[in-house]
Amino acid sequence: MEIKAVKFYEKGFMTQPFAMGGEGDAEKLDAKVRYRSCLQNYLIDTGDEVILVDTGLPAEFPAMVVDENTQIYLGNPIVDYMTAFRALGYRPEQVTKILVTHKHEDHTGELRSFPNAKIYLSPEEADALKLDGPNVVRVQYKDGPYHTFDASEKIAEGVYLLPAKGHTTGNSIIVAECDGLFYMMHGDVTYTDEALYENKLSVVFEDKAAARDTLDRVRAFVRKNPTVYCGTHTPLGYENLEAKRVVDLDRPTETIPPGEFVRVEATGKYVCSVCGKVYDPAEGDPEHGIPAGTKFEDLPNDWKCPRCRQPKSKFNRA
């Protein structure tokens, strides 16, 4: 088995209140403290199958604009997701299965590009994405407990999908067992490894109690099993993978400050920092009474993201 990172954004950042302020203490944290951010998903090559863990942003996703209110900046696009995928030496038609951690666009943006793949995800996320059809598998976690988790679904030999609710109502974790190590591809259970070590929730969740339970289970898992922690939004995700670095909760990984980032010109579009939904003034939000041609600044103060129902304050300029 080989596990590879599909890297397509780099040199971003997130603030400490965003990454660790989810349980009511964000105002006590320092917004000037920033952690590195980026964007990558993962690929599992079992030898018999090519399995993707999430499928990046859509190719047409706009670049983000950074200002003083930016809580998380995904970074500068290196290439689009599909180019990064092909650069690993694979073709879309080779992918047999896609395991979706959750519904947000930076995890599902190119589901459309893999014609032969079965898509495995929780029923809640399938409903949220309005996914149905013969290639969609609504996972029931029917294969019993898995270490510190109460349920699991065996996807292939050594590959398991686990319920990990909280970040979204149907969030999942993927664990791949290889050469005595447990590679945990966890979506956004944490946005940065520092939060795992500090035992802190991010500010992004749909169910706080479930998110806390999931993080507790993850920490219990890594205490008991040699775990390589593979995140989506931090370079530590692929750095841990490449070094086969095992989590030791008593010895945190060194924090490296983020470097310089490229500033881009604003387009008038805005991007939800939680789910990746793009608000385009040219299209508006007619489903919620917002006509085409409405600038973001002119949206009602109580307008919310059409996808994840977060407030306007969670949007960044693009």
Side-chain angles (χ1 to χ4, degrees):
M1 180 187 296
E2 289 185 90
I3 303 166
K4 303 177 183 181
V6 187
K7 307 175 192 175
F8 50 104
Y9 273 64
E10 65 179 359
K11 298 181 180 178
F13 67 82
M14 67 189 80
T15 66
Q16 189 179 69
F18 176 89
M20 299 190 188
E23 292 179 287
D25 55 353
E27 69 282 353
K28 299 176 184 177
L29 302 174
D30 189 349
K32 294 181 181 178
V33 174
R34 293 177 171 181
Y35 305 107
R36 293 182 296 159
S37 184
C38 59
L39 197 51
Q40 66 273 332
N41 298 142
Y42 296 94
L43 180 152
I44 304 168
D45 187 338
T46 69
D48 298 317
E49 296 191 86
V50 177
I51 302 172
L52 296 183
V53 178
D54 295 334
T55 60
L57 284 165
E60 62 272 19
F61 192 82
M64 293 174 61
V65 177
V66 181
D67 61 26
E68 66 278 2
N69 298 315
T70 302
Q71 299 181 68
I72 182 169
Y73 172 52
L74 298 178
N76 312 319
I78 308 168
V79 292
D80 63 82
Y81 174 86
M82 292 306 298
T83 300
F85 163 80
R86 290 187 177 94
L88 294 177
Y90 298 92
R91 303 184 309 278
E93 58 270 23
Q94 290 178 275
V95 175
T96 54
K97 295 171 182 172
I98 300 171
L99 313 182
V100 176
T101 61
H102 63 286
K103 62 191 174 185
H104 293 159
E105 196 163 21
D106 49 341
H107 299 260
T108 60
E110 289 292 348
L111 287 176
R112 62 193 179 186
S113 296
F114 299 94
N116 299 330
K118 286 192 173 182
I119 301 170
Y120 290 72
L121 74 175
S122 69
E124 297 93 333
E125 304 302 90
D127 287 343
L129 292 166
K130 299 179 180 178
L131 287 178
D132 207 354
N135 69 320
V136 176
V137 180
R138 291 169 173 255
V139 175
Q140 300 302 316
Y141 307 107
K142 64 183 183 300
D143 293 323
Y146 181 83
H147 298 275
T148 60
F149 293 86
D150 292 339
S152 67
E153 182 95 359
K154 186 174 181 179
I155 303 298
E157 191 62 40
V159 180
Y160 298 87
L161 190 65
L162 313 174
K165 297 182 178 184
H167 179 65
T168 64
T169 55
N171 198 75
S172 299
I173 284 172
I174 291 86
V175 173
E177 301 175 1
C178 182
D179 297 331
L181 297 178
F182 296 79
Y183 292 83
M184 180 177 283
M185 291 152 274
H186 59 82
D188 300 341
V189 169
T190 61
Y191 277 82
T192 186
D193 290 20
E194 285 86 352
L196 173 71
Y197 289 105
E198 294 291 333
N199 195 17
K200 295 284 191 178
L201 295 181
S202 81
V203 298
V204 184
F205 48 74
E206 294 181 349
D207 185 327
K208 183 191 292 187
R212 167 42 60 191
D213 179 69
T214 289
L215 184 56
D216 289 345
R217 290 178 186 275
V218 167
R219 284 172 55 86
F221 185 96
V222 302
R223 286 276 189 199
K224 296 178 179 180
N225 301 288
T227 303
V228 179
Y229 195 65
C230 299
T232 299
H233 289 287
T234 171
L236 286 165
Y238 63 77
E239 291 169 1
N240 293 340
L241 174 62
E242 291 166 0
K244 298 183 179 180
R245 181 163 54 208
V246 170
V247 171
D248 182 344
L249 292 179
D250 299 318
R251 294 177 177 80
T253 303
E254 178 187 3
T255 295
I256 300 173
E260 294 297 319
F261 52 86
V262 176
R263 295 186 181 273
V264 299
E265 295 296 322
T267 64
K269 299 177 183 179
Y270 278 71
V271 179
C272 179
S273 63
V274 174
C275 73
K277 174 69 176 176
V278 177
Y279 177 79
D280 186 344
E283 298 176 1
D285 180 16
E287 185 178 347
H288 297 95
I290 306 299
T294 304
K295 295 180 180 179
F296 184 85
E297 295 82 355
D298 295 334
L299 291 171
N301 290 333
D302 60 354
W303 180 84
K304 291 181 171 58
C305 175
R307 178 180 291 131
C308 70
R309 309 308 294 162
Q310 293 292 322
K312 286 176 64 178
S313 61
K314 289 293 194 293
F315 278 72
N316 296 326
R317 288 188 299 161

Short mmCIF file of all heavy atoms in Angstrom, two decimals, residues 96-98 111-112 114-121 131-138:
data_model
loop_
_atom_site.label_atom_id
_atom_site.label_comp_id
_atom_site.label_asym_id
_atom_site.label_seq_id
_atom_site.Cartn_x
_atom_site.Cartn_y
_atom_site.Cartn_z
N THR A 96 -11.15 3.80 -8.26
CA THR A 96 -12.26 2.89 -8.04
C THR A 96 -13.20 3.37 -6.94
O THR A 96 -14.40 3.11 -6.98
CB THR A 96 -11.73 1.50 -7.65
OG1 THR A 96 -10.84 1.63 -6.53
CG2 THR A 96 -10.98 0.87 -8.82
N LYS A 97 -12.65 4.07 -5.94
CA LYS A 97 -13.46 4.52 -4.80
C LYS A 97 -13.01 5.91 -4.37
O LYS A 97 -11.81 6.23 -4.42
CB LYS A 97 -13.33 3.54 -3.62
CG LYS A 97 -13.88 2.16 -3.89
CD LYS A 97 -13.55 1.18 -2.78
CE LYS A 97 -14.08 -0.22 -3.10
NZ LYS A 97 -13.62 -1.24 -2.13
N ILE A 98 -13.96 6.70 -3.94
CA ILE A 98 -13.69 8.00 -3.33
C ILE A 98 -14.33 8.00 -1.95
O ILE A 98 -15.53 7.72 -1.81
CB ILE A 98 -14.25 9.16 -4.16
CG1 ILE A 98 -13.62 9.18 -5.56
CG2 ILE A 98 -14.01 10.49 -3.45
CD1 ILE A 98 -14.27 10.17 -6.51
N LEU A 111 -15.51 15.69 -7.42
CA LEU A 111 -16.19 14.39 -7.47
C LEU A 111 -16.65 14.08 -8.89
O LEU A 111 -16.68 12.92 -9.33
CB LEU A 111 -17.41 14.39 -6.54
CG LEU A 111 -17.14 14.32 -5.03
CD1 LEU A 111 -18.45 14.44 -4.27
CD2 LEU A 111 -16.41 13.05 -4.65
N ARG A 112 -17.00 15.14 -9.62
CA ARG A 112 -17.52 15.02 -10.98
C ARG A 112 -16.52 14.42 -11.97
O ARG A 112 -16.92 14.01 -13.08
CB ARG A 112 -17.90 16.42 -11.47
CG ARG A 112 -16.68 17.36 -11.53
CD ARG A 112 -17.05 18.81 -11.71
NE ARG A 112 -15.85 19.66 -11.75
CZ ARG A 112 -15.89 20.99 -11.78
NH1 ARG A 112 -17.04 21.62 -11.80
NH2 ARG A 112 -14.76 21.68 -11.82
N PHE A 114 -14.42 11.73 -11.84
CA PHE A 114 -13.97 10.35 -11.74
C PHE A 114 -15.12 9.41 -12.12
O PHE A 114 -15.90 8.98 -11.26
CB PHE A 114 -13.45 10.08 -10.32
CG PHE A 114 -12.28 10.95 -9.97
CD1 PHE A 114 -12.46 12.16 -9.31
CD2 PHE A 114 -11.00 10.60 -10.35
CE1 PHE A 114 -11.40 12.98 -9.00
CE2 PHE A 114 -9.91 11.41 -10.06
CZ PHE A 114 -10.11 12.61 -9.38
N PRO A 115 -15.22 9.09 -13.40
CA PRO A 115 -16.42 8.41 -13.92
C PRO A 115 -16.62 6.99 -13.42
O PRO A 115 -17.76 6.50 -13.40
CB PRO A 115 -16.18 8.42 -15.44
CG PRO A 115 -14.69 8.51 -15.60
CD PRO A 115 -14.23 9.38 -14.46
N ASN A 116 -15.56 6.32 -13.02
CA ASN A 116 -15.67 4.90 -12.64
C ASN A 116 -15.71 4.68 -11.13
O ASN A 116 -15.79 3.54 -10.67
CB ASN A 116 -14.51 4.10 -13.22
CG ASN A 116 -14.48 4.16 -14.74
OD1 ASN A 116 -15.51 4.29 -15.38
ND2 ASN A 116 -13.29 4.08 -15.31
N ALA A 117 -15.62 5.75 -10.36
CA ALA A 117 -15.47 5.61 -8.92
C ALA A 117 -16.80 5.52 -8.20
O ALA A 117 -17.76 6.22 -8.53
CB ALA A 117 -14.68 6.80 -8.37
N LYS A 118 -16.84 4.66 -7.19
CA LYS A 118 -17.95 4.67 -6.24
C LYS A 118 -17.62 5.67 -5.14
O LYS A 118 -16.48 5.73 -4.67
CB LYS A 118 -18.17 3.28 -5.65
CG LYS A 118 -18.81 2.31 -6.62
CD LYS A 118 -19.28 1.04 -5.91
CE LYS A 118 -20.09 0.17 -6.87
NZ LYS A 118 -20.61 -1.05 -6.19
N ILE A 119 -18.62 6.45 -4.75
CA ILE A 119 -18.42 7.51 -3.77
C ILE A 119 -19.00 7.04 -2.44
O ILE A 119 -20.21 6.78 -2.33
CB ILE A 119 -19.11 8.80 -4.22
CG1 ILE A 119 -18.54 9.26 -5.57
CG2 ILE A 119 -18.94 9.90 -3.16
CD1 ILE A 119 -19.33 10.40 -6.21
N TYR A 120 -18.14 6.91 -1.43
CA TYR A 120 -18.55 6.46 -0.10
C TYR A 120 -18.63 7.67 0.83
O TYR A 120 -17.65 8.42 0.99
CB TYR A 120 -17.54 5.47 0.47
CG TYR A 120 -17.52 4.13 -0.21
CD1 TYR A 120 -16.98 3.98 -1.50
CD2 TYR A 120 -18.02 3.00 0.41
CE1 TYR A 120 -16.95 2.75 -2.13
CE2 TYR A 120 -18.00 1.75 -0.22
CZ TYR A 120 -17.46 1.65 -1.49
OH TYR A 120 -17.43 0.43 -2.11
N LEU A 121 -19.76 7.85 1.50
CA LEU A 121 -19.93 8.94 2.44
C LEU A 121 -21.12 8.65 3.34
O LEU A 121 -21.95 7.78 3.05
CB LEU A 121 -20.08 10.28 1.73
CG LEU A 121 -21.38 10.63 1.02
CD1 LEU A 121 -21.31 12.07 0.51
CD2 LEU A 121 -21.69 9.70 -0.14
N LEU A 131 -26.50 13.87 -3.35
CA LEU A 131 -25.88 12.81 -4.15
C LEU A 131 -26.73 11.56 -4.09
O LEU A 131 -27.14 11.11 -3.00
CB LEU A 131 -24.48 12.49 -3.63
CG LEU A 131 -23.38 13.51 -3.91
CD1 LEU A 131 -22.08 13.04 -3.28
CD2 LEU A 131 -23.20 13.74 -5.39
N ASP A 132 -26.99 10.98 -5.23
CA ASP A 132 -27.74 9.74 -5.31
C ASP A 132 -27.34 9.02 -6.59
O ASP A 132 -26.63 9.57 -7.42
CB ASP A 132 -29.24 10.03 -5.30
CG ASP A 132 -30.05 8.86 -4.74
OD1 ASP A 132 -29.44 7.81 -4.48
OD2 ASP A 132 -31.26 9.01 -4.57
N GLY A 133 -27.75 7.78 -6.71
CA GLY A 133 -27.44 7.03 -7.92
C GLY A 133 -26.65 5.79 -7.60
O GLY A 133 -26.22 5.56 -6.47
N PRO A 134 -26.38 4.96 -8.61
CA PRO A 134 -25.73 3.67 -8.40
C PRO A 134 -24.28 3.77 -7.95
O PRO A 134 -23.74 2.79 -7.40
CB PRO A 134 -25.83 3.00 -9.77
CG PRO A 134 -26.01 4.13 -10.75
CD PRO A 134 -26.79 5.17 -10.02
N ASN A 135 -23.63 4.91 -8.18
CA ASN A 135 -22.23 5.03 -7.76
C ASN A 135 -22.08 5.63 -6.37
O ASN A 135 -20.95 5.81 -5.90
CB ASN A 135 -21.46 5.89 -8.77
CG ASN A 135 -21.88 7.35 -8.74
OD1 ASN A 135 -23.07 7.65 -8.60
ND2 ASN A 135 -20.91 8.25 -8.88
N VAL A 136 -23.18 5.94 -5.70
CA VAL A 136 -23.13 6.56 -4.36
C VAL A 136 -23.44 5.50 -3.31
O VAL A 136 -24.48 4.84 -3.35
CB VAL A 136 -24.13 7.72 -4.26
CG1 VAL A 136 -24.15 8.29 -2.84
CG2 VAL A 136 -23.79 8.82 -5.26
N VAL A 137 -22.51 5.33 -2.37
CA VAL A 137 -22.67 4.37 -1.29
C VAL A 137 -22.87 5.13 0.01
O VAL A 137 -21.95 5.81 0.49
CB VAL A 137 -21.44 3.43 -1.17
CG1 VAL A 137 -21.65 2.44 -0.03
CG2 VAL A 137 -21.18 2.71 -2.48
N ARG A 138 -24.07 5.02 0.57
CA ARG A 138 -24.37 5.66 1.85
C ARG A 138 -23.89 4.72 2.96
O ARG A 138 -24.53 3.71 3.25
CB ARG A 138 -25.86 5.94 1.96
CG ARG A 138 -26.33 7.03 1.00
CD ARG A 138 -27.83 7.11 0.92
NE ARG A 138 -28.21 8.28 0.12
CZ ARG A 138 -28.69 9.40 0.63
NH1 ARG A 138 -28.89 9.50 1.94
NH2 ARG A 138 -28.97 10.43 -0.15
#
